[in-house]
Amino acid sequence: MDILTHTLSGVAAGTVVAGFSSKGFRKKTGIIALGGLGGALPDLDAFSLWSGFDTYIGKALALSHSGKEIYFSKFWYSHHGFLHSITASLLLVFLMACLVFWVKRNSSYNLLQSVKKKQLFYLSFVFGFLLHLLEDMPTPSSVWGGVNFFWPSREYIGGTGQIWWWNNYDIFLIVTGVIVLNCLLLVLRRFIRFDGRKFTVAVFMLGFTLALVQINTRGFDFHYTGHTPKYQEYEAKSKEIQKQLLGEKLYGWMQLFDNQLKIYF
């Protein structure tokens, strides 16, 4: 799935976690932002596709494989490898907690107490990170066969081909809707006293359910292994499905938005 939807899914996760915080606007914004970071970070393993990877990184490290070969392989550092695992999310959040503890250097509490103090921030990051992995599971197998969810296990999970890599405009709109509604709820809590946690969780679960329905009702099998000569055909079919789902007008707006972006969407 595209990096924008992944990132916004992390933001949506962050709005849920922020609903459990009694802190002010700045803290809640930080919680939401960390969710977005968690949602985006797994695709850092696509770095090997950078045009300068072979010239700079590959040459400096004397790598025996090109960046493209690394990306489409099943090394632990390939796409859908280590960084697409629950192990990576926990390790990264641990390193983050250690860094925060070291920077703060507050002798009044230890590392565990520091983690507890910032637990909602770390939870938001992990939540956003794991959503990214879940969203990649219904995409095609391609050369990976899913994501290496339980690294260092060699088993890859997903790759079911229920959705195409891109053009999942309906999922994007659902995620955006969750963010807007939950942000409104968080703002409303500043003026009206109510338990916002139940509402933000409910909105997220509704969005999650709607996304699952959309994923499972495409009515077309995008599954393939390795590389496929039908890539353009699948791309066109994905857009055709979106046009049927969204209608001419909304689909047209999403196409305009898509064409303005410099990333795959």
Side-chain angles (χ1 to χ4, degrees):
M1 193 177 282
D2 66 276
I3 187 63
L4 180 57
T5 303
H6 280 318
T7 303
L8 290 180
S9 295
V11 170
T15 63
V16 177
V17 179
F20 286 80
S21 174
S22 59
K23 302 297 183 180
F25 175 79
R26 190 169 64 88
K27 297 289 186 182
K28 285 186 171 70
T29 301
I31 290 171
I32 294 170
L34 264 183
L37 177 63
L41 205 141
D43 276 349
L44 189 62
D45 58 18
F47 176 65
S48 62
L49 286 182
W50 172 46
S51 59
F53 183 87
D54 295 335
T55 304
Y56 299 102
I57 308 299
K59 189 175 181 180
L61 298 178
L63 298 178
S64 57
H65 298 89
S66 69
K68 189 174 182 180
E69 288 173 333
I70 290 171
Y71 180 86
F72 287 110
S73 296
K74 294 182 75 171
F75 303 124
W76 70 268
Y77 46 87
S78 295
H79 192 48
H80 282 203
F82 167 70
L83 275 179
H84 279 69
S85 71
I86 188 172
T87 313
S89 71
L90 297 176
L91 178 59
L92 287 169
V93 85
F94 173 72
L95 293 174
M96 193 185 303
C98 289
L99 179 62
V100 169
F101 178 69
W102 180 78
V103 170
K104 295 288 185 180
R105 293 179 185 173
N106 192 328
S107 58
S108 63
Y109 51 80
N110 57 34
L111 177 60
L112 187 60
Q113 291 170 323
S114 173
V115 170
K116 189 174 181 180
K117 188 178 177 66
K118 302 286 186 182
Q119 60 184 329
L120 291 181
F121 289 87
Y122 303 136
L123 179 62
S124 180
F125 176 84
V126 172
F127 192 4
F129 196 105
L130 294 183
L131 269 182
H132 181 126
L133 310 189
L134 292 176
E135 288 172 340
D136 275 348
M137 288 180 184
T139 57
S141 285
S142 188
V143 296
W144 307 290
V147 298
N148 197 189
F149 193 78
F150 293 111
W151 187 93
S153 166
R154 293 180 179 273
E155 183 180 358
Y156 281 65
I157 300 173
T160 54
Q162 292 158 285
I163 59 174
W164 187 235
W165 301 109
W166 327 111
N167 325 125
N168 295 293
Y169 302 149
D170 54 339
I171 308 298
F172 169 82
L173 290 170
I174 290 170
V175 170
T176 303
V178 170
I179 294 171
V180 171
L181 288 174
N182 274 353
C183 284
L184 287 173
L185 286 169
L186 292 174
V187 170
L188 196 60
R189 280 184 65 188
R190 300 185 67 182
F191 304 99
I192 304 173
R193 293 180 63 86
F194 66 96
D195 188 356
R197 296 173 297 181
K198 295 177 182 178
F199 290 97
T200 53
V201 170
V203 168
F204 179 84
M205 290 308 299
L206 175 61
F208 189 80
T209 302
L210 287 174
L212 281 179
V213 170
Q214 294 300 101
I215 288 169
N216 286 286
T217 55
R218 287 288 193 260
F220 186 83
D221 185 7
F222 292 100
H223 177 73
Y224 70 90
T225 56
H227 300 281
T228 177
K230 295 183 177 181
Y231 190 95
Q232 295 303 324
E233 179 185 326
Y234 288 157
E235 179 86 3
K237 184 62 180 179
S238 176
K239 290 183 177 181
E240 180 187 324
I241 291 171
Q242 289 300 313
K243 194 172 185 178
Q244 292 170 352
L245 288 170
L246 304 180
E248 291 272 357
K249 194 170 186 179
L250 183 53
Y251 174 77
W253 289 343
M254 292 305 299
Q255 272 279 278
L256 284 173
F257 177 64
D258 190 349
N259 293 335
Q260 294 298 315
L261 298 174
K262 297 186 182 297
I263 57 173
Y264 284 109
F265 175 69

